[in-house]
């Protein structure tokens, strides 16, 4: 590996020569690796939650890891638990397709927009403090989501959940990084990674069981007792850690304007894609309705290109600001020098495109299973659990495969299986596709998911210098969450486009329900079955929705294929470093 790595402006010689952190997730942006293990003054002896000067000797550290893992599982599961329950929520709250996209997307949008700034905030005020605040806020938001009686209330609660999640995620990473050393740290990060992969895969199954056995609000209410136990465990076993005091005279300022610009960029881009179904891509189909305001685009244009332009300009301003602050030796939210590392740059492109493909599938497939194949939510959750089964099997074998062919090679094998699985799904989906065939295909996809997820992070972070490991980890987490938000937005837009093209060919009574099929995200099919509508009408609508789902699935396969191309570049760069 070459020594010509970029160094963060202002990094000290001692930081540059610090021992390399074991490969795996690291602390969020701004964590100073030169800091001693204690990372800050300890609480007085006997204080509940106090930690010794060196947290790595704290006898409660493994109990603390369990608590942090439970907190992490809360926010990871919530990113996927909604998927299989969404058709029921759509029918119960009378949501349209755009509302449904926002219910799925809003959580990831806020989470990704705030990750960089909350990581730095935890370093300042204390990671345990931030973690407690995040769990408390997440529990409150979960109660509000369960009580929601309409789209606006549910989306607002999901946004608040995203804020809580953004406080929790970097706090778990940095606390693990500060608490464990040597082989214990590798084992702790292994637990963290297993929770990330396993919780995301189990979310749809848990959502299906809670929705079918109780009601959809329970997918949020289940967070309450778990969250309260996590708070109690945190107070009992998790010690406080924070960034070490800085040398006298060194500037210490949060990049608030950078955080606002990045949030504006992300919010505008995702908002434009999600709302394009309603607003139109170029010519105005409808004005934007916000509260009591009605906003039209300029000279008959849709607001979609305007919002896209605003997002791109805000993104450019953010990048210029981060470059200027980095050159001046000031703290940055995004260290652009890291992107001079080819493996890191290509790896983040891979992580983002893969997340788009993976979460695009999670948005569309449950709608297809429930609305077209008429499965119950528990049955749909069991079908999606095939992904979890494949992911668990390959996740356990990923380490051995990586030892044989290397981590980059393992990622390539995994993404190849993912592309194969989603590509086959794009061909298979129809009004009467056998469930067994779907399950077999999802197992193949899950095998790829486990291999790629297990090794992609370590591959991307491997060339990052130790003094910048926090920035590298925070950047990749943000890119993944951005991909999650865009995946739902893009998949929903492709589904709407496919349905619009297909419903024009509907005949007879089915033609009356063409627009409703799009607006209801397919839930009109369930309603019509309940009403005993003629099978000829249901067959036409089922074929139309299946065709739209195939187009969306093909889009997911395309993004996964882009990820595979990026992974080839990562593997090539890794061999050269």
């Amino acid at each position: 590996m070459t020594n010509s790595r970029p160094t963060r402006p202002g990094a000290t010689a001692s930081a540059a020569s610090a021992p390399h952190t074991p490969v795996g997730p690291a602390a969020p942006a701004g964590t100073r690796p030169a800091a001693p293990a204690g990372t800050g003054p300890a609480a007085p002896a006997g204080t509940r939650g106090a930690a010794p000067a060196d947290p790595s000797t704290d006898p409660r550290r493994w109990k603390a890891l369990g608590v942090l893992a439970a907190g992490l599982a809360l926010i990871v599961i919530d990113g996927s638990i909604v998927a299989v329950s969404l058709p029921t929520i759509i029918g119960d709250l009378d949501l349209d397709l755009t509302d449904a996209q926002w219910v799925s997307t809003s959580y990831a949008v806020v989470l990704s927009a705030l990750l960089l700034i909350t990581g730095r905030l935890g370093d300042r005020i204390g990671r345990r403090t931030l973690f407690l605040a995040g769990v408390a806020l997440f529990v409150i938001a979960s109660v509000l989501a369960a009580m929601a009686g309409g789209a606006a209330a549910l989306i607002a609660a999901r946004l608040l959940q995203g804020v809580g999640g953004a406080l929790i995620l970097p706090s778990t990473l940095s606390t693990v990084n500060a608490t464990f050393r040597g082989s214990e740290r590798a084992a702790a990060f292994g637990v963290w990674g297993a929770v990330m992969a396993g919780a995301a895969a189990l979310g749809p199954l848990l959502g299906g069981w809670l929705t079918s056995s109780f009601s959809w609000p329970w997918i949020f209410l289940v967070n309450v007792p778990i969250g309260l136990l996590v708070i109690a465990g945190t107070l009992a076993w998790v010690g406080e850690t924070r960034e070490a005091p800085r040398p006298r005279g060194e500037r210490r300022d949060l990049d608030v304007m950078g955080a606002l610009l990045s949030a504006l960029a992300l919010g505008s881009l995702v908002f434009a894609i999600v709302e394009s179904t309603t607003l139109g891509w170029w010519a105005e189909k409808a004005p934007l309705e916000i509260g009591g305001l009605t906003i039209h685009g300029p000279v008959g244009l849709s607001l979609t290109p305007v919002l896209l332009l605003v997002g791109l300009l805000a993104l450019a301003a953010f990048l210029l600001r981060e470059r200027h602050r980095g050159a001046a030796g000031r703290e940055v939210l995004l260290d652009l020098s890291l992107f001079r590392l080819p493996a890191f740059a290509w790896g983040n492109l891979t992580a983002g495109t893969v997340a788009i493909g993976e979460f695009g599938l999670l948005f569309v497939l449950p709608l297809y299973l429930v609305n077209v194949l008429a499965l119950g939510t528990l049955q749909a959750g069991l079908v999606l659990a095939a992904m979890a089964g494949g992911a668990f099997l390959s996740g356990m074998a990923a380490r051995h495969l990586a030892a044989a062919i290397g981590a980059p090679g393992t990622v390539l094998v995994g993404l190849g299986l993912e592309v194969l699985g989603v590509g086959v799904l794009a061909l298979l989906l129809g009004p009467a596709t056998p469930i067994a065939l779907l399950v077999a295909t999802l197992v193949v996809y899950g095998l790829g998911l486990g291999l790629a997820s297990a090794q992609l992070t370590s591959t991307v972070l491997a060339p990052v210098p130790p003094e910048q490991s926090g920035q590298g980890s925070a950047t990749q987490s943000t890119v993944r969450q951005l991909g999650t938000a865009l995946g739902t937005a893009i998949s929903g837009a492709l589904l709407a486009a496919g349905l619009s093209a297909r419903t024009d060919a509907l005949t007879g009574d089915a033609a009356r329900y063409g627009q409703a099929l799009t607006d209801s995200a397919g839930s009109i099919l369930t309603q019509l079955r309940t009403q005993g509508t003629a099978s000829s009408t249901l067959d036409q609508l089922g074929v139309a929705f299946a065709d739209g789902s195939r187009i969306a699935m093909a889009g997911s396969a395309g993004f996964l294929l882009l990820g595979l191309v990026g992974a080839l570049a990562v593997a090539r760069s890794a061999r050269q470093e």
Side-chain angles (χ1 to χ4, degrees), residues 8 62 143 154 176 187 190 230 236 241 247 278 312 316 325 443 456 493 498 526:
R8 181 177 58 191
W62 292 106
V143 173
L154 181 55
V176 170
V230 168
T241 64
T278 301
L312 292 173
R325 285 176 66 91
V443 169
L456 182 58
T526 303

Side-chain angles (χ1 to χ4, degrees), residues 261-463:
L261 285 172
S262 64
L264 176 62
L266 174 60
S268 297
L269 293 172
V270 174
F271 189 89
I273 296 173
V274 171
E275 292 290 335
S276 63
T277 303
T278 301
L279 303 177
W281 276 105
W282 188 251
E284 184 177 88
K285 289 173 59 178
L288 177 62
E289 303 281 352
I290 300 182
L293 295 177
T294 299
I295 306 173
H296 292 272
V299 294
L301 287 177
S302 166
L303 280 175
T304 299
V306 176
L307 290 168
L308 289 173
L309 180 60
V310 169
L312 292 173
L313 290 175
L315 178 60
F318 170 69
L319 295 176
L320 288 173
R321 179 179 176 82
E322 297 305 286
R323 180 181 178 184
H324 176 73
R325 285 176 66 91
R330 300 175 66 185
E331 288 188 15
V332 294
L333 293 178
L334 181 64
D335 191 346
L336 297 177
S337 68
L338 287 175
F339 288 90
R340 297 174 192 161
L341 299 168
F344 183 81
W346 281 105
N348 275 282
L349 175 63
T350 298
T353 53
V354 166
I356 291 174
E358 290 173 350
F359 279 84
L361 177 148
L362 273 180
F363 177 73
V364 170
L365 194 54
L367 296 176
Y368 163 81
L369 293 173
V370 172
N371 295 323
V372 178
L373 297 189
L375 300 184
T377 52
L378 179 57
Q379 292 172 305
L382 288 170
V383 171
L384 293 175
M387 294 188 297
F392 278 125
L393 289 173
S394 60
M396 291 188 293
R399 179 168 56 88
H400 303 291
L401 184 60
I405 65 174
T410 304
V411 173
L412 287 174
V413 173
L415 287 178
L417 290 173
E418 285 194 59
V419 171
L420 176 64
V422 180
V424 171
L425 283 176
L427 297 174
L428 282 180
L429 297 189
T433 304
I435 299 298
L437 195 54
L438 291 176
V439 168
T441 306
L442 287 173
V443 169
V444 172
Y445 169 80
L447 290 171
L449 179 64
L451 292 176
S453 297
Q455 298 299 320
L456 182 58
T457 296
S458 62
T459 302
V460 175
L461 295 181

Side-chain angles (χ1 to χ4, degrees), residues 75-94:
I75 63 172
V76 174
I77 286 176
D78 218 71
S80 60
I81 197 172
V82 172
V84 76
S85 307
L86 195 55
T88 302
I89 297 173
I90 290 171
D92 196 13
L93 299 185
D94 195 25

Side-chain angles (χ1 to χ4, degrees), residues 53-72:
D54 183 357
S56 65
T57 63
D58 191 335
R60 305 166 303 172
R61 61 189 181 277
W62 292 106
K63 293 179 180 178
L65 177 63
V67 172
L68 295 170
L72 176 65

